[in-house]
Amino acid sequence: MKKNIIKVSGAGIFLLFLAASCSKNDSVNSSLFSGKDISSEAEITASAETKTPSISIGKSGNWKLYSGKTNASVNFDNNILSGKSSGTFEITGQKNFQIYCLDLDGSRTVLGVRQLPVSGQRNFRDLGGYKTTDGRVVKWGTVFRSGKCNELTDSDLLYLASASLKTVVDFRSESEKASEPDKVPSTVVNRKDLPIDAGNLGGYDITDIFVKGDVEAAKQLLVEGNKAFILDFQSEYRRFFEILQSGDNTPLMFHCTAGKDRAGLAAVLFLSSLGVDKETAIQDYLLTNACTNATLENMQAAYGQGNLATCMYYVYSVQREYIQAAFDTIESNYGSVENFLTNQLNVDLNKMKSLYLY
């Protein structure tokens, strides 16, 4: 069975202020970062079936791996794994959610699992680990994105409970929630409903698109949908940021049905509010296709070689042009993403950074 492969990328040397900012934040262990940026030398993998994690080390050297349930509780008294060579190593005895810290030749970086190992929702992802344009890093284990959670298994729910998931934000319509009600771990105490009824956005009828095999209309459906999210659903996204800025709702997960459109835009806006660059935010958006295995070949295997399969692919995947339509709509109507966030969604950018960056 294929494992979830999570790569933590980046290169260069951390800015000194990163360590200084961590030391001033009581919720973060200041020992998580030191020396050179070694994040590009490490991958965390996890099996959705067994929940067992592994670490891949891309560079030989003296290394030790530490872990903890939270950013503040990584235990440096005892390493859970160590070695001197590169390679992939299973982290035995750990099947719960953890934050990891790798020490490689005296340099340290914090690591996490991007695609969480839950078999009932393969698009459940941690938004931590992304770098900002000023050299800081989004906290792991704090904000997650997902699709519908009605098929989570008992072992999935136990795993998510080990992440102390506290709040679930649901962007689905009332009918979607009624037909496929969420399963949530026992730790969830806040259920926040922000219904965005996608419907036939932009005047396109999805059934008609499939019947006619109209490939261009299939693409345009999601282009127009992203424009509508920006122009017509600002109150829902404004409320989303109010919840994020309360400071008392994390760890938090937000989702829609597929976890790609309504939640996809929410993730892009969240990362943008922290100073993550546009291309990195787009790459997170596009990661949905790999997580859900949304490929044209798979659609053709299921629906044949005709236009129906192609339409299905463009409706049930994400494409750069979809999220670019959201960026273009923001820029043409509000000047910049920063203006949109601060003026339309009432986002306090400094507060967001204080809450969600190392």
Side-chain angles (χ1 to χ4, degrees):
M1 188 67 65
K2 184 178 179 182
K3 291 183 177 180
N4 301 333
I5 304 299
I6 296 85
K7 183 173 183 180
V8 185
S9 60
I13 298 176
F14 274 112
L15 298 176
L16 291 178
F17 79 83
L18 177 60
S21 67
C22 290
S23 65
K24 294 177 182 178
N25 191 332
D26 292 337
S27 66
V28 176
N29 190 326
S30 61
S31 299
L32 295 175
F33 296 97
S34 65
K36 296 181 179 179
D37 178 5
I38 57 169
S39 59
S40 63
E41 304 296 341
E43 289 183 334
I44 298 289
T45 64
S47 165
E49 289 70 35
T50 68
K51 309 295 189 273
T52 302
S54 300
I55 183 167
S56 295
I57 307 293
K59 175 183 177 183
S60 297
N62 292 308
W63 59 266
K64 295 180 179 179
L65 186 67
Y66 304 91
S67 71
K69 187 175 181 179
T70 66
N71 289 289
S73 65
V74 174
N75 181 7
F76 291 101
D77 292 332
N78 296 291
N79 66 75
I80 60 171
L81 204 60
S82 63
K84 294 184 178 180
S85 62
S86 59
T88 299
F89 308 88
E90 188 173 271
I91 307 170
T92 59
Q94 286 204 356
K95 295 187 178 182
N96 290 332
F97 179 88
Q98 295 282 292
I99 301 293
Y100 298 95
C101 183
L102 175 67
D103 186 307
L104 175 61
D105 290 332
S107 293
R108 286 181 176 176
T109 192
V110 63
L111 302 173
V113 175
R114 175 72 62 215
Q115 184 185 2
L116 270 62
V118 290
S119 57
Q121 176 47 255
R122 302 308 292 267
N123 203 22
F124 204 123
R125 308 195 330 244
D126 194 328
L127 286 171
Y130 290 118
K131 293 180 183 177
T132 65
T133 55
D134 59 3
R136 297 179 70 181
V137 179
V138 181
K139 290 180 185 177
W140 288 101
T142 308
V143 176
F144 305 88
R145 57 174 294 178
S146 181
K148 60 183 182 178
C149 294
N150 61 306
E151 296 182 352
L152 295 179
T153 66
D154 289 343
S155 63
D156 292 341
L157 293 171
L158 287 173
Y159 181 86
L160 295 174
S162 74
S164 300
L165 189 66
K166 183 177 182 180
T167 300
V168 171
V169 176
D170 194 338
F171 287 111
R172 295 180 300 164
S173 66
E174 296 301 328
S175 61
E176 288 174 288
K177 287 180 286 190
S179 63
E180 296 176 315
D182 276 343
K183 295 179 181 178
V184 298
S186 59
T187 52
V188 170
V189 295
N190 301 317
R191 304 283 291 271
K192 309 287 188 179
D193 292 334
L194 303 178
I196 295 176
D197 192 349
N200 296 323
L201 292 171
Y204 289 89
D205 185 324
I206 191 169
T207 301
D208 190 53
I209 289 173
F210 291 148
V211 169
K212 293 179 178 178
D214 191 338
V215 174
E216 288 307 312
K219 296 179 184 179
Q220 199 62 26
L221 171 73
L222 276 302
V223 168
E224 295 301 323
N226 275 276
K227 293 178 181 179
F229 294 152
I230 296 301
L231 297 174
D232 301 333
F233 296 98
Q234 292 180 13
S235 61
E236 287 78 10
Y237 287 109
R238 187 180 303 116
R239 176 60 182 146
F240 171 60
F241 276 99
E242 288 175 4
I243 295 167
L244 286 170
Q245 291 174 112
S246 75
D248 191 38
N249 288 315
T250 55
L252 173 149
M253 179 271 283
F254 60 89
H255 76 98
C256 53
T257 293
K260 71 184 187 71
D261 300 314
R262 291 162 287 185
L265 177 61
V268 165
L269 293 175
F270 169 73
L271 293 174
S272 298
S273 76
L274 301 178
V276 173
D277 68 274
K278 177 180 176 180
E279 182 58 30
T280 299
I282 289 176
Q283 288 303 313
D284 179 81
Y285 176 83
L286 295 174
L287 185 57
T288 284
N289 290 339
C291 291
T292 61
N293 208 19
T295 67
L296 178 58
E297 290 75 17
N298 284 342
M299 290 297 180
Q300 289 173 336
Y303 298 100
Q305 298 294 313
N307 282 355
L308 173 60
T310 306
C311 289
M312 295 287 284
Y313 168 66
Y314 282 114
V315 169
Y316 291 107
S317 67
V318 290
Q319 302 295 321
R320 179 181 288 268
E321 63 195 280
Y322 302 165
I323 196 62
Q324 186 61 52
F327 278 110
D328 291 345
T329 302
I330 288 171
E331 290 165 7
S332 63
N333 287 275
Y334 309 107
S336 68
V337 175
E338 183 174 294
N339 285 345
F340 177 71
L341 290 167
T342 56
N343 298 330
Q344 303 304 123
L345 303 188
N346 298 333
V347 180
D348 183 333
L349 299 179
N350 289 329
K351 185 171 186 178
M352 288 292 295
K353 292 174 182 179
S354 72
L355 289 171
Y356 297 109
L357 296 181
Y358 292 114

